[in-house]
Amino acid sequence: MAQAGVGHPPRVDAETRARIWLSTWVYPGDRVIGSGVNTVGAVDYCQRLDRGIFHVGGKQSAAIQARATQTYPQIPPRSTLDATLTQLASHGITPIDPRHPHWPPALNDLGAATPWVIYARGQTSCLGGRAPRVSIVGTRHPSARGVQAAATISAAQIAAGRIVVSGGARGIDVAAQLVAVNAGMPTICVLAQSPHRPYPPEHRGVFDEMTVLGAVVSERPPGVAQSRGAFLARNRLIAALSGVTVVVEAPWRSGAVSTARHAAELGREVMGVVYPNQGAENAGVERILQQWAGQAIDWPS
């Protein structure tokens, strides 16, 4: 399967075309659709969808059909796919499905919630390589010691030969990933929207720098509106990509806690930084330690 080149639509076979089409309208992580694809393959399943059939048989077929038709009352025509392929080419984005040599095998652990395809800018080889990875995540509104901890932990992990994975968000995420960029090392940034319009906009220069040695990826292609729950859905990818997830600082309810939960459910190692005299700003780490048996990293005063 050829990688996309800027200006030339990627040459993709029927299976990849079907997966790309699904990614343009199905909510990320939809386990009903994912189970169907895993059971009969994307081509066969999309042919069923053309006839308005969401289930693949079994005792729950009627219930699955009823829920899915309520969630997706209108299925877009396949003709919309050509526009998506053109946009992928114009933005230099490579579609990568499970048969691509640079597909990260770790994503397969998500089962029915595995993305059908991911879209990448940058050095896609770092996605499927054997180098160990660590996800470093946290609040968008960190304390000064949280930022310092993110940078220190990131530097130590990079020195140990690990690739830092995060979401490029304000605060802890970008603090951890900037260490890799400034050190001339690869980092993997997982977005909730297409890689050609990453969020937040003020980090787009940093995102471009990430693509020099690393990759910026998403399960959403260009031309697709922001879907409900997209930021929470991408957290499962951040968790799945790494063997270890470190939460540097987070309130009780946060995307970082969601990432830790996904990591724990996948059997990954979960760690959280604990500070002297911490308060509600780091209650999420206490939650991680209590609910998912995370390992504490005691930070010096």
Side-chain angles (χ1 to χ4, degrees), residues 144-202:
R145 64 184 178 181
V147 172
Q148 181 185 28
T152 301
I153 292 169
S154 181
Q157 294 298 307
I158 291 168
R162 298 183 178 91
I163 295 177
V164 172
V165 179
S166 198
R170 302 179 182 102
I172 297 299
D173 289 18
V174 76
Q177 294 192 281
L178 273 173
V179 174
V181 170
N182 293 335
M185 300 298 289
T187 183
I188 298 171
C189 184
V190 185
L191 302 172
Q193 58 291 122
S194 170
H196 84 289
R197 294 194 67 183
Y199 181 88
E202 66 267 26

Side-chain angles (χ1 to χ4, degrees), residues 51-287:
R51 304 192 301 274
I53 301 172
F54 287 88
H55 64 83
V56 291
K59 295 181 180 179
Q60 299 297 318
S61 294
I64 289 172
Q65 183 69 21
R67 289 195 301 268
T69 52
Q70 185 177 20
T71 303
Y72 306 107
Q74 291 185 322
I75 298 176
R78 299 282 194 100
S79 58
T80 59
L81 180 60
D82 290 335
T84 301
L85 292 174
T86 298
Q87 289 196 65
L88 290 175
S90 66
H91 296 296
I93 297 173
T94 301
I96 299 173
D97 74 10
R99 299 166 304 143
H100 193 286
H102 296 165
W103 173 263
L107 292 181
N108 298 333
D109 292 345
L110 290 167
T114 300
W116 307 284
V117 60
I118 57 175
Y119 301 96
R121 286 180 56 222
Q123 307 307 311
T124 59
S125 59
C126 73
L127 299 172
R130 295 186 177 182
R133 295 187 285 258
V134 56
S135 294
I136 302 176
V137 296
T139 178
R140 290 173 170 81
H141 306 286
S143 64
R145 64 184 178 181
V147 172
Q148 181 185 28
T152 301
I153 292 169
S154 181
Q157 294 298 307
I158 291 168
R162 298 183 178 91
I163 295 177
V164 172
V165 179
S166 198
R170 302 179 182 102
I172 297 299
D173 289 18
V174 76
Q177 294 192 281
L178 273 173
V179 174
V181 170
N182 293 335
M185 300 298 289
T187 183
I188 298 171
C189 184
V190 185
L191 302 172
Q193 58 291 122
S194 170
H196 84 289
R197 294 194 67 183
Y199 181 88
E202 66 267 26
H203 291 175
R204 287 178 183 168
V206 177
F207 293 135
D208 287 341
E209 290 185 77
M210 291 179 186
T211 65
V212 175
L213 295 173
V216 176
V217 304
S218 175
E219 59 188 316
R220 306 302 275 173
V224 175
Q226 188 75 48
S227 64
R228 70 184 188 191
F231 282 95
L232 286 175
R234 67 92 180 260
N235 292 337
R236 79 192 195 285
L237 306 186
I238 296 174
L241 282 169
S242 299
V244 182
T245 290
V246 180
V247 179
V248 175
E249 186 177 53
W252 184 265
R253 294 176 60 87
S254 72
V257 172
S258 167
T259 303
R261 175 178 61 81
H262 284 296
E265 290 173 350
L266 288 167
R268 310 298 203 247
E269 186 176 1
V270 179
M271 308 180 77
V273 179
V274 178
Y275 305 93
N277 304 314
Q278 66 183 21
E281 79 284 353
N282 206 33
V285 167
E286 294 295 336
R287 180 181 178 186

